[in-house]
């Protein structure tokens, strides 16, 4: 007989969640997951079972682990951007949880709080916090924001009314030498703040150990993505996206192990010629804004329209793991310089100019042998919408087929997007 699922209501109540709203949220998610992941896919790698379990228990066991970690004296940090360095948090006996929201379920909590023309990601993330439906937000000791886009800059002011928030200043013109010096200074200021919260001191030893672990996690993701270059790909884009999304909040040691197992299975599938899509499915590269859990909308549309997503040039994709460093240096200062260079190598549209992103996309099209590129932007996201126009022109000039999709988390435009995606995929012959 199957074991009864654990009832976590007492824990959620202790964390101050709105139980009624939270129950409603947890009713919607499993149905969506079943529809997108289970019913619409066949022949998935067996090691996806772990990631399915994690989503199925999204506010359960992991939150319980964090409650225990906190009781054991660990610092819990909530963050919203790749620019917040995992390594520094881990080195200071902390746990970094990526808090971005990928559903409009939480919008009820931001009406009259945020402008309506705010991007869906900010609305969702702020709504999860203010609406008391996110245990990860509730348990965090501190939220670390950053000055990337304008919407996020102002969102920190809103969140700071109900939660300790610390904002690190990310430079806008990052290629200038003084911007690098400023970013290094900002990383050091963040260290001081987190030392205060954690009661720990950052040392070269604990920082090196953290850099080693986070590098291993990114290396396993890179290894998994490498398998997607095969034809047929051994894993769907949806499944790979889910792995990236979960990596933002799961334990790094467990992720190293479980992504490693999945990558190994996918490598074996390539040897056997086992794929997940019918022969002739068109290989699509998605480039654009991050797709936070449970935003699976575009992947689902593409992968039910004779396409397969083989790569995401996004923060829930290659931007998360591509930029690397050598763990060299005997002092904290030297190691922070390594971190600064690594993070400034992430090509987010919030920086100006950001031409390296064009090079990244062109390179990834070749590496993943993509038949076409779908540029994905969230409505009201100015940085990525501006770049979508220039990127489309640059890619087309190189003979690369491009479709631009601007949308949000609502499902009303699904049918219209599907029609456009189907026509695009047909045009790729
Ligand atoms: S490094 S992409 S995670 S800033 S979609 S909130 S940009 S208006 S998410 Fe991002 Fe860091 Fe850059 Fe990555 Fe603003 Fe656009 Fe909304 Fe966005």
């Amino acid at each position: 007989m199957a074991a009864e699922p654990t009832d976590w209501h007492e824990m959620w109540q202790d964390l101050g969640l709105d139980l009624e709203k939270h129950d409603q949220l947890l009713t919607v998610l499993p149905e969506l997951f079943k529809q997108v992941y289970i019913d619409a896919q066949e022949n998935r790698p067996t090691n996806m079972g772990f990631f399915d379990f994690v989503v199925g228990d999204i506010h359960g066991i992991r939150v319980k682990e964090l409650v225990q970690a906190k009781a054991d004296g660990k610092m819990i940090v909530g963050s919203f951007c790749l620019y917040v360095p995992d390594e520094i948090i881990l080195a200071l006996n902390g746990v970094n949880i990526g808090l971005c929201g990928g559903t409009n379920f939480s919008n009820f909590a931001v009406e009259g709080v945020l402008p309506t023309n705010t991007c869906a990601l900010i609305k969702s993330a702020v709504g999860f916090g203010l609406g008391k439906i996110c245990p990860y937000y509730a348990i965090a000791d501190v939220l670390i924001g950053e000055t990337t886009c304008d919407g996020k800059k102002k969102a920190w002011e809103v969140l700071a009314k109900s939660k300790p928030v610390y904002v690190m200043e990310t430079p806008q013109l990052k290629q200038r030498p003084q911007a690098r010096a400023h970013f290094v200074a900002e990383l050091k200021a963040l260290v001081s703040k987190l030392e205060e919260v954690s009661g720990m001191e950052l040392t070269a030893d604990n920082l090196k150990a953290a850099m080693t672990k986070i590098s291993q996690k990114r290396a396993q993701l890179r290894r998994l993505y490498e398998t997607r270059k095969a034809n047929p790909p051994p894993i769907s884009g949806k499944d790979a996206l889910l792995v990236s999304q979960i990596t933002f909040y799961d334990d790094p040691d467990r992720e190293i192990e479980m992504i490693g197992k999945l990558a190994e299975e996918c490598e074996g599938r390539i040897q056997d010629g086992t794929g997940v899509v019918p022969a002739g499915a068109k290989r699509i590269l998605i480039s654009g804004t991050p797709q936070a859990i449970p935003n699976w909308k575009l992947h689902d549309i593409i992968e039910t329209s004779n396409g397969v997503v083989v790569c995401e040039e996004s923060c829930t994709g290659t931007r998360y793991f591509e930029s690397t460093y050598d763990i060299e240096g005997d002092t904290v200062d030297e190691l922070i310089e390594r971190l600064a260079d690594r993070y400034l190598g992430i090509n987010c549209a919030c920086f100006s100019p950001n031409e390296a992103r064009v090079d990244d996309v062109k390179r990834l099209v070749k590496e993943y042998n993509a038949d076409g590129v779908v540029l994905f932007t969230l409505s009201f996201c100015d940085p990525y919408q501006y770049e979508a126009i220039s990127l489309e022109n640059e890619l087309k000039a190189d003979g690369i087929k491009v479709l631009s999709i601007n949308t949000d988390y609502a499902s009303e435009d699904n049918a219209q997007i599907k029609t456009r995606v189907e026509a695009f995929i047909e045009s790729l012959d």
Side-chain angles (χ1 to χ4, degrees), residues 163-202:
K163 198 83 191 164
V165 174
Y166 176 84
V167 181
M168 52 185 283
E169 188 173 23
T170 42
Q172 306 287 297
L173 305 165
K174 65 176 185 172
Q175 72 285 6
R176 292 191 181 168
Q178 60 268 39
R180 181 183 181 278
H182 181 68
F183 189 55
V184 168
E186 279 295 311
L187 289 180
K188 290 181 181 172
L190 176 69
V191 169
S192 301
K193 173 67 190 176
L194 292 176
E195 284 181 334
E196 178 196 314
V197 177
S198 66
M200 293 261 305
E201 186 192 347
L202 191 71

Side-chain angles (χ1 to χ4, degrees), residues 80-83 119 121-122 146 148-149 152 289-290 315 319 346 348 350 378 380-381 383-384:
F80 302 83
C81 178
L82 284 195
Y83 264 82
C119 90
L121 211 150
I122 296 175
E146 63 335 296
T148 45
C149 68
K152 287 214 268 181
T289 48
C315 291
R319 274 183 239 137
I346 299 171
C348 165
C350 296
L378 281 175
F380 308 119
C381 171
Y384 280 92

